[in-house]
Amino acid sequence: KGSGFGVFGKKEVKRKPFVIVMVGINGVGKSTSLAKIAYYLKSNNCNPLLAACDTFRSGAVEQLNVHAKCLKVPLYHKGYAKDPAAVAKAAIDHATQEGNDVVLVDTAGRMQNNVPLMKALSNLVVQNSPDLVLFVCEALVGNDGMDQLDMFNKALRNGGHARKIDGIVLTKFDTVSDKVGAALTMTRVTGAPVVFCGTGQKYNHLKKLSVQSVIKSLFS
């Protein structure tokens, strides 16, 4: 054990962590949603690491560092003006060595028509093969959310990613009342499920979408 070798004399291979990449346009609450998911994972006996791969927006690393300190989880960063794909890879390698079982990758917010930033995002995803790519958007965004999701899917596909975005995180879900049509449209058209809904500013203000509640609000 102490030498790092198993009973058959072969070196033990450390298990690669589960990798989640958060994507979305500017200002929808990606970093806050990432922190909420980190809180959820930690509350369920996971050992997450935050990866600051928004190397573009000034203050992004510091913002994530505040969340990391509040949550008492590790943060991996390389500062600014670095290749996000390389930072993500280094973060995953670091997490593997340190025994973190989940890596939550924060990415730069970008408008869906910003070609250079969308290309950088697709490079990050393709080079690091995350287990989940989650699209973050505001619950009250309306049909524009469908356009955003479609553009992100196209960018990933053009970059060589083999599958569509895996799931959706809706922020500000507590502000939409019974106006849930856009969320249902995104799920129906893309096949991506709503994984979580943000319902406030605190870390525990995150919940799974209640299908029964949605149906009730639609028919009430």
Side-chain angles (χ1 to χ4, degrees):
K1 277 282 185 181
S3 64
F5 285 77
V7 293
F8 295 107
K10 293 184 179 179
K11 192 172 182 179
E12 293 176 356
V13 178
K14 293 187 177 181
R15 186 177 178 183
K16 181 184 174 184
F18 192 90
V19 180
I20 303 172
V21 173
M22 311 283 285
V23 305
I25 68 167
N26 302 293
V28 295
K30 282 190 310 303
S31 298
T32 302
S33 296
L34 180 146
K36 289 178 178 180
I37 293 174
Y39 174 84
Y40 173 85
L41 291 169
K42 190 176 179 183
S43 299
N44 285 276
N45 301 315
C46 292
N47 181 22
L49 174 139
L50 310 186
C53 296
D54 181 353
T55 63
F56 178 75
R57 178 175 65 88
S58 177
V61 174
E62 291 78 5
Q63 179 187 10
L64 207 60
N65 190 41
V66 170
H67 288 307
K69 286 182 176 178
C70 289
L71 294 166
K72 296 181 180 178
V73 299
L75 170 70
Y76 187 92
H77 73 90
K78 288 287 189 180
Y80 296 98
K82 302 293 193 300
D83 175 16
V87 176
K89 183 182 185 305
I92 294 167
D93 290 343
H94 179 79
T96 303
Q97 292 301 315
E98 294 298 317
N100 300 100
D101 48 16
V102 184
V103 175
L104 293 163
V105 179
D106 191 30
T107 62
R110 60 206 78 206
M111 296 307 292
Q112 63 269 31
N113 57 358
N114 187 319
V115 175
L117 283 180
M118 292 297 277
K119 185 175 181 180
L121 175 65
S122 66
N123 286 341
L124 184 155
V125 171
V126 170
Q127 290 178 30
N128 290 284
S129 302
D131 299 280
L132 282 179
V133 179
L134 299 182
F135 174 74
V136 184
C137 70
E138 294 181 351
L140 41 68
V141 73
N143 290 328
D144 189 45
M146 190 63 242
D147 296 333
Q148 294 172 16
L149 183 53
D150 186 53
M151 289 293 289
F152 273 86
N153 269 326
K154 284 181 179 177
L156 294 179
R157 186 169 62 249
N158 290 340
H161 188 51
R163 64 180 195 268
K164 293 182 178 180
I165 282 169
D166 300 296
I168 300 166
V169 177
L170 294 176
T171 63
K172 302 181 181 178
F173 196 74
D174 52 317
T175 67
V176 297
S177 185
D178 57 351
K179 300 172 184 176
V180 295
L184 296 181
T185 300
M186 281 194 286
T187 297
R188 182 182 65 83
V189 172
T190 66
V194 175
V195 179
F196 285 116
C197 299
T199 58
Q201 295 299 314
K202 295 182 179 179
Y203 292 130
N204 63 344
H205 289 168
L206 188 74
K207 67 178 185 180
K208 295 180 180 179
L209 184 67
S210 170
V211 176
Q212 287 76 17
S213 297
V214 171
I215 293 173
K216 184 176 179 181
S217 68
L218 288 172
F219 287 94
S220 60

